[in-house]
Amino acid sequence: MPTLTTRTQSRRKRLWPWLLTYALLLGAAAVFVYMAAANFSAAVVKLGAPGPRLGAVQALWLRIALAPAADQLFAASSPDTAGISLIVESGELPAAVAKRIAALGLAPDAQLLLRFMIYKGYDEQMQAGYFKLSHSMPPAEIAAALVNAMPSEVRVRIWAGWRAGQVVASLAAQPHLQIDPSALLRMIDGREPPPGDYLFRNMLAPNSNLEGYLFPSDYVFEPGANTNVVLNAILQRFDDEVMGTLRAEAAARGFDLPQLVTLASIVEREAMLDEERPLIARVFLNRLAQGMPLMADPTTQYALAGPADWWPKLTLDPRTVDHPYNTYVIPGLPPGPIANPSLRSMQAVANPADSNALYFRAACEKNGRHKFSVTYEEHLAYACP
């Protein structure tokens, strides 16, 4: 008959495997809990802070719901950067927008995206309007983008009399255009070919600078329009506006296209009133006919300028400036345009006023008008006291 000691030992032997199994299960559970907590913590860090108007309980619930799929929120569906347009209608619900985004393949799950929008407060900040999205944008980035709608169109103005550098700076500063200023400058400077074929380029020397041919006007682009699209529209507008009747009129007066644009750019910088453009053009044409220097201050300004000041005030004797664009000492037209002239200035050169004037100066009233004179003595007499 087994003794008490023997029975106790036998019981211990039977219990030992169960205890070991229990210990292993406890250890595994502890590891699982630790790893789950670590993963949850990492997910919370990824998700970031909740929106300021979200309650603590709702924030916790959303964290728990979002944590298992947090990686999906911060991973792009593909590296494809091609733009995908999305228009959010006024009054459209965030849930409907999330479904449309998921249907476009930009998010793996509409419910996941919506929960993230609610967690960050984007559902309340979402704007109606135009958005440019892509598969290279993670869903979290797309959700954040929905609070800043782009305009349905981008309106840009190129002002008459601007230099190419001013045009580039203005376009590059447009937040809703994708302008590469370096690439734009290379094409304008002739170091790279422009994006299309244009009639006016057949009348220029190969690889010519496009200063003067960036047609001043108002332009409308789709949001996200790139450098090539924008420059193509500007150069095509020059073709459309100038390469018909106007060029023919200039040719009838013995002016080729570069001469027309060059002289018109000087008129543009001198004139303030449209009605005076034909008179100013006539003065310069009279000087050219008599072999006089043009003596145009803007050409010297062009020579002295830089990005810090594109049109510096002349504080020195312009005759002392050693530069091929100095029309005080070098007769004839400068080597090229000094700015981008308006259609009115080009029309003024092609159809100048009938006058014998050789001189003009700003009126003392400082109202933008000029005094025109035939003789230098008369010109001096118009000096302001």
Side-chain angles (χ1 to χ4, degrees), residues 54-142:
L54 201 66
V57 174
Q58 191 179 14
L60 178 60
W61 181 87
L62 285 170
R63 282 193 182 112
I64 294 171
L66 291 169
D71 287 344
Q72 297 180 49
L73 287 167
F74 295 91
S77 58
S78 86
D80 185 4
T81 59
I84 298 175
S85 298
L86 177 76
I87 297 177
V88 175
E89 302 293 343
S90 179
E92 190 172 9
L93 296 176
V97 175
K99 284 183 180 179
R100 290 204 288 129
I101 291 173
L104 291 169
L106 297 170
D109 179 74
Q111 188 66 23
L112 176 68
L113 180 62
L114 178 61
R115 284 174 174 169
F116 181 73
M117 291 169 64
I118 296 171
Y119 176 74
K120 300 299 287 186
Y122 299 150
D123 61 321
E124 296 180 339
Q125 302 173 47
M126 185 180 73
Q127 296 182 355
Y130 180 91
F131 300 87
K132 202 77 164 180
L133 310 176
S134 76
H135 287 286
S136 64
M137 297 171 65
E141 184 179 340
I142 290 173

Side-chain angles (χ1 to χ4, degrees), residues 10 25 39 59 98 110 151 162 169 193 222 269 278 312 319 350 368 372:
S10 177
L25 288 173
N39 289 337
W162 270 3
E222 287 189 359
R269 292 304 307 178
R319 293 170 297 182
F372 295 83

Side-chain angles (χ1 to χ4, degrees), residues 2-10:
T3 63
L4 179 61
T5 301
T6 303
R7 289 198 299 271
T8 301
Q9 290 174 345
S10 177

